[in-house]
Amino acid sequence: MTDENDKQSQPEDEDDESAEAVSTPVNGGPSRVEDEALTQRLEEAEAKAVEYKDGWQRAQADFQNYKKRIERDNELMYASMKSDILKKVLPVLDDLERALQNRPSEDAWVSGIELIAHKLRSVLEAEGVKRIEAEGKPFDPNFHEAISHEPGEGVESGYVISVAQNGYMLGERVIRPALVRVAQ
């Protein structure tokens, strides 16, 4: 019986030896199965690295776009606030100009009011406010607001005859259109 057991165990030993021969190469390096597993893991790791790098680049681009959008929004908000404040100052300038048009004879206080009006105009110009030139120009609804259409002697139809209230621009933006009379 022992011979039979030895014979039965021998084929199993031979199978183990042949399996070891397949899995362990002669030179002592990794087996073909291990090599394939390592290659697969390397490919997976490289794919993940590419995916993470792509995600990082997208996040960087999104952040840059966010910063630009915030800067643009802040600039628009600043310009809007600035124009709102300047709109409130313009009636004061209008009142000073009307007072100077109807000034009495040369009194000492008149020169003081002229200096104040000049200073206010200088401050507005320094902030980028420009008066809209309207008299004698063609009517443009982007810059002018017509308060009447009147027959004008020596003035073509559609041209501004006179200005009732000056209009102003802040940069390229109209903060108040000029109130004008237009020739028929």
Side-chain angles (χ1 to χ4, degrees):
M1 272 240 240
T2 54
D3 289 333
E4 279 183 31
N5 287 341
D6 287 341
K7 286 180 185 177
Q8 287 178 355
S9 64
Q10 283 179 351
E12 288 178 14
D13 291 339
E14 288 175 9
D15 287 341
D16 289 341
E17 289 175 11
S18 64
E20 286 178 19
V22 170
S23 66
T24 308
V26 178
N27 62 5
S31 71
R32 188 175 46 163
V33 173
E34 290 174 340
D35 191 32
E36 288 174 3
L38 288 174
T39 304
Q40 183 180 1
R41 286 181 55 199
L42 177 64
E43 289 172 358
E44 289 172 1
E46 287 174 346
K48 281 185 180 182
V50 167
E51 181 183 337
Y52 292 154
K53 182 180 178 186
D54 185 46
W56 174 79
Q57 288 174 334
R58 282 196 177 117
Q60 286 292 99
D62 287 345
F63 182 67
Q64 292 298 325
N65 291 338
Y66 168 77
K67 280 176 50 176
K68 289 176 186 175
R69 186 174 55 247
I70 292 298
E71 288 173 12
R72 187 177 57 243
D73 290 350
N74 285 340
E75 288 173 7
L76 288 173
M77 185 172 53
Y78 175 76
S80 176
M81 290 171 45
K82 186 176 180 179
S83 70
D84 288 346
I85 291 170
L86 292 173
K87 279 182 191 177
K88 293 176 183 178
V89 172
L90 291 176
V92 175
L93 179 61
D94 291 337
D95 291 344
L96 283 173
E97 289 175 346
R98 274 193 289 277
L100 289 172
Q101 287 174 350
N102 301 318
R103 65 179 166 227
S105 61
E106 292 299 318
D107 289 336
W109 63 271
V110 174
S111 62
I113 293 201
E114 286 175 347
L115 287 173
I116 292 169
H118 178 70
K119 191 182 238 183
L120 185 55
R121 279 189 219 108
S122 297
V123 168
L124 291 174
E125 286 174 12
E127 291 298 321
V129 176
K130 298 175 198 162
R131 178 179 284 168
I132 297 173
E133 297 299 327
E135 196 161 344
K137 307 269 182 183
F139 176 76
D140 185 350
N142 296 318
F143 301 106
H144 309 128
E145 186 176 325
I147 56 173
S148 69
H149 287 273
E150 303 171 359
E153 294 177 23
V155 180
E156 286 185 49
S157 177
Y159 278 74
V160 175
I161 300 171
S162 66
V163 178
Q165 184 182 48
N166 288 315
Y168 293 92
M169 294 180 66
L170 179 61
E172 298 297 317
R173 184 177 171 195
V174 175
I175 56 175
R176 184 176 80 183
L179 298 178
V180 297
R181 292 182 177 86
V182 183
Q184 284 183 328

